[in-house]
Amino acid sequence: MLKPRECIATLEPYRSPIISRAGLNLDLNENTAGCSERVLARLRALTQRDVAMYPEREVGERLVGNFLGVRPEQVLLTNGVDEGLLLLCAAYLGEGDEMLLADPTFVMYPIYGRAAGARLARVTAGEDFAFPTGDLLARISSRTRLITIANPNNPTGTLVPRADLLRVLDAAPDAAVLVDEAYFEFGGETLLPELSRYGNLFIARTFSKVYGLAGLRLGALIGAPEQIGCMRRFCSPFNVNAAALACLEEALADQAFVSEYVAQVKEGRERLAKLCEELGLRSWPSRTNFVLMRVGASCGKFVEVMARRGVRVRDVSANPGCEGCVRITVGTREQMDDVVRAVRGAVGESRS
Ligand code: PMP
């Protein structure tokens, strides 16, 4: 019988996190304000010709390069950050190589790493999800070829101190170090200014979160021109679709949409933090558009009751250190009234 490579055959079947799209979806950290009206207008103006022709990614790479203040050669646009991860794994990992990561973190990192045939070296966050810098540095070896760090992190919402990231970059000159800044705009910090100093640094950005384009699939991998050039050699030349590329200019231009959404998220996450305090639930200060909170042993029931009340949240209790925890995407000002009501009700019900 035909058999895939061992590293693929031994992967657990992937289960989509999407159970239902009914109600308010606060389980995937999407932009619940939608996207910019200007983006929608551009989409509506797409012509038959736009759709019939292969997309031109280079135009988008110039736009993103300009926006971020880097050269277009340093930017590879991808089909979401997800594809960027896959490309990084394909470029730097082979059988016997090691991918190093700190749990809990974004669930796709280990999947792509294992699919590339790499062994996973995992360290675990400390108290209150403090980044385990010492442990991670101690695990770097000549086999370490890729280190993935989400900053801010998912599912915790926490930030890694800049100095710690630089220590990792210094300690692993022969490994690709990905600093995944998918949630940068919500109050994160960026390592972009360090690109010229570190040939091993890659930064990922996405249009799925603050820009509200998750359905269009658009991400960017930014790094040293030589490294990005290597990935361009085998990346599909048409990986980013024409609709996403057509919207890029409008999405970047409408920073008013971005700041308004960020302001609402900051307000909403404060509200959630206060609510947790009031209800005696532990939550962690977030630099993203979601909040991690510990609802306790009745976590599964809480998620169920919330869904019945029309709000989908994510059970993340299987992640190391996240026992009894759910992750709730922050909604808009209006949506947060319903969310607060649902959380209060669900806490009451799942405790009874
Ligand atoms: N990185 C992190 C840390 C994420 O949380 C996510 C999405 N949840 C992604 C990457 C994937 O983003 P994209 O939609 O661009 O593939």
Side-chain angles (χ1 to χ4, degrees):
M1 193 181 104
L2 177 65
K3 279 220 172 110
R5 289 157 64 221
E6 182 71 11
C7 57
I8 302 291
T10 52
L11 284 175
E12 295 85 41
Y14 179 77
R15 275 204 231 107
S16 166
I18 299 173
I19 301 166
S20 153
R21 295 310 237 157
L24 185 53
N25 294 264
L26 303 185
D27 50 350
L28 282 168
N29 305 335
E30 292 151 330
N31 189 323
T32 60
C35 69
S36 155
E37 286 292 342
R38 289 170 62 173
V39 165
L40 215 54
R42 183 67 192 87
L43 275 178
R44 291 196 174 110
L46 284 179
T47 63
Q48 287 184 328
R49 194 177 140 86
D50 290 332
V51 174
M53 292 196 337
Y54 282 109
E56 227 187 318
R57 192 182 63 211
E58 292 69 22
V59 178
E61 286 166 347
R62 280 198 293 276
L63 284 171
V64 172
N66 266 337
F67 181 77
L68 296 177
V70 299
R71 284 151 52 201
E73 306 91 87
Q74 295 180 270
V75 179
L76 179 64
L77 290 186
T78 56
N79 198 264
V81 167
D82 273 347
E83 191 204 18
L85 295 170
L86 205 52
L87 293 169
L88 271 175
C89 289
Y92 298 100
L93 294 175
E95 306 285 337
D97 289 336
E98 264 182 21
M99 174 186 189
L100 181 51
L101 48 100
D103 286 310
T105 194
F106 183 42
V107 289
M108 296 311 292
Y109 299 156
I111 297 178
Y112 292 138
R114 282 181 55 196
R119 277 197 309 217
L120 302 182
R122 312 178 87 136
V123 292
T124 310
E127 183 90 9
D128 285 332
F129 304 112
F131 191 72
T133 310
D135 290 351
L136 188 118
L137 290 174
R139 289 296 290 273
I140 295 171
S141 74
S142 56
R143 285 194 301 271
T144 313
R145 296 281 291 141
L146 176 61
I147 305 174
T148 50
I149 302 173
N151 196 44
N153 194 21
N154 177 9
T156 58
T158 51
L159 212 54
V160 185
R162 197 184 121 81
D164 292 40
L165 293 172
L166 298 184
R167 283 175 73 192
V168 173
L169 283 159
D170 279 321
D174 298 323
V177 179
L178 171 71
V179 178
D180 180 348
E181 298 182 352
Y183 300 96
F184 158 73
E185 294 87 350
F186 302 104
E189 286 164 18
T190 184
L191 237 50
L192 269 180
E194 301 299 333
L195 273 176
S196 52
R197 279 213 294 150
Y198 292 99
N200 57 338
L201 169 62
F202 294 86
I203 292 172
R205 291 285 181 90
T206 185
F207 285 83
S208 298
K209 308 295 173 187
V210 97
Y211 290 97
L213 305 184
L216 288 179
R217 313 302 301 127
L218 183 59
L221 201 55
I222 306 124
E226 316 79 62
Q227 306 299 329
I228 293 293
C230 286
M231 271 174 283
R232 249 193 260 287
R233 290 181 203 171
F234 68 96
C235 171
S236 158
F238 309 120
N239 59 335
V240 177
N241 70 77
L245 285 170
C247 292
L248 188 51
E249 192 165 12
E250 292 300 330
L252 288 173
D254 196 354
Q255 288 298 316
F257 171 82
V258 169
S259 2
E260 173 54 27
Y261 174 58
V262 169
Q264 294 202 40
V265 164
K266 288 184 175 171
E267 211 179 290
R269 69 191 184 199
E270 280 311 305
R271 255 183 103 178
L272 274 181
K274 281 212 183 87
L275 178 69
C276 286
E277 228 181 285
E278 176 198 316
L279 297 171
L281 304 177
R282 183 87 174 82
S283 79
W284 286 265
S286 167
R287 307 292 287 259
T288 61
N289 67 338
F290 58 82
V291 171
L292 181 74
M293 58 176 78
R294 177 160 283 140
V295 294
S298 52
C299 189
K301 184 163 179 211
F302 177 86
V303 173
E304 249 181 70
V305 177
M306 285 291 284
R308 231 186 304 122
R309 290 171 177 262
V311 184
R312 303 207 164 266
V313 301
R314 188 76 164 269
D315 181 344
V316 292
S317 55
N319 289 268
C322 301
E323 297 74 23
C325 288
V326 296
R327 193 193 65 195
I328 305 189
T329 306
V330 178
T332 60
R333 211 165 281 137
E334 265 187 317
Q335 292 162 345
M336 288 312 286
D337 292 338
D338 292 338
V339 176
V340 167
R341 212 172 301 124
V343 171
R344 272 215 183 90
V347 166
E349 245 188 87
S350 48
R351 272 178 185 161
S352 62

